[in-house]
Amino acid sequence: MFGFFARKGPHRARITTSGDTIEVGAGDNLLKAALNQGLAWPHNCRVGSCGQCRCRLVSGKIKPLNDFSYVLTGEEMDAGMILACQTSLRSDVEIEVALDKPAAALSQPKSVGGVIVRARPLTHDILEVRIRLDEVMPAYLAGQYAELSVPGLIEKPRSYSFASAPENEQFGHVSFFIRHVPDGEMTGWLHTANQEGQRVNVAGPYGSFWLRDSAAPMLCIAGGSGMAPIKALLEQVSSQGFQRQVTYVFGARTRDDLYCLDEMKQIKARGNGHFNFIPVLSREPNDSDWSGLRGHCTDILSPDAFDLPNSHAYLCGPPAMIDSAIECLGRAGVKSEHIFYDKFIDASHMQGGRT
Ligand code: FES
């Protein structure tokens, strides 16, 4: 007698792979609800760009909040794949997803107020921003990120990776490396005047870019402010005593874009032959006395030089760099499940970007 109307939420999502069940409110997306309820759902951008939250709808009805075909292939969509961050529920559902880590190992995100206590230029366009928090924020893993906003001024949050491993960070503080993006509201605010003393909000931790347990050789590739999460990972490897061979290829335009060189030297000294840092410059003037490598990061990746087929790769930087590195590593025999990345997508491409 009555036509079918999808019942408004909350609905329940049962995760077939783990047996967990979560509740997804009417205004929530599946990823947000999962993270808030402590599930270690793989994710990065949370705005439908990176594809890391992909999962399979086994049964039930969903409402896509965006067109999945920007990220998922036709084959994946035919197989029932969806993006959790772009999905709300129209009924109870069953979902298949490989959760990342025991939920107990991850903190639930929280928003904490704080004060900028340091805004120090690292290069002509990258600033180290250190924030003293009003209260201890949930523990993060090296490689994860937080969202920054400025109360009453820049309410739309921007995402920045923690620049130190938790064990290397001063108690009650967090640090970020923030690159100046032309026309970026947040980075313009930070870079055009010294904002030490200003109040900000820090929400997190977010992201599933962290160190996987393995003794496999580790190849890190980063550019620009992608230094931050890689430095944090390297600090973690270093504090664990370098049980594996680690190579870090850092791409920059010129020598003026290199930074954290002292930190890399310290890690190398502690690495006892297990760590190699290779800066590669793409636009260093030909007549300069730079004796290091020139070109792009991917130009120097040869399978023989890096034992690539047996390596785990950790990539951080702008989408074009990541995409080209993934392609190059795939061709060289690195298994796709051994390539971990954090694409730095700016706010011109997404809600809550890195500008
Ligand atoms: S596409 Fe969903 S987290 Fe990136």
Side-chain angles (χ1 to χ4, degrees), residues 37-98:
Q37 288 165 66
L39 289 194
W41 200 292
H43 69 283
N44 182 12
C45 70
R46 295 190 294 133
V47 292
S49 301
C50 72
Q52 291 197 19
C53 65
R54 52 160 65 79
C55 55
R56 194 171 77 81
L57 178 65
V58 179
S59 67
K61 291 186 186 307
I62 62 148
K63 178 181 177 197
L65 304 173
N66 226 323
D67 187 350
F68 298 152
S69 67
Y70 288 120
V71 174
L72 300 178
T73 63
E75 218 171 38
E76 286 175 316
M77 290 197 295
D78 289 346
M81 300 301 282
I82 59 172
L83 295 176
C85 71
Q86 300 302 312
T87 291
S88 65
L89 302 191
R90 285 182 179 277
S91 73
D92 291 352
V93 296
E94 287 189 311
I95 300 283
E96 191 179 278
V97 60

Side-chain angles (χ1 to χ4, degrees), residues 160-182:
Y160 300 106
S161 300
F162 296 103
S164 293
E167 59 269 32
N168 281 39
E169 188 55 271
Q170 197 181 341
F171 180 76
H173 292 68
V174 286
S175 306
F176 306 94
F177 296 162
I178 299 182
R179 189 174 70 84
H180 187 210
V181 177

Side-chain angles (χ1 to χ4, degrees), residues 32 66 100 107 148 169 189 209 211 223 248-249 254 275 282:
K32 185 170 175 231
N66 226 323
D100 255 331
S107 304
L148 296 196
E169 188 55 271
W189 179 75
F209 184 74
L211 196 62
Y248 177 16
V249 180
T254 70
F275 176 61
S282 60

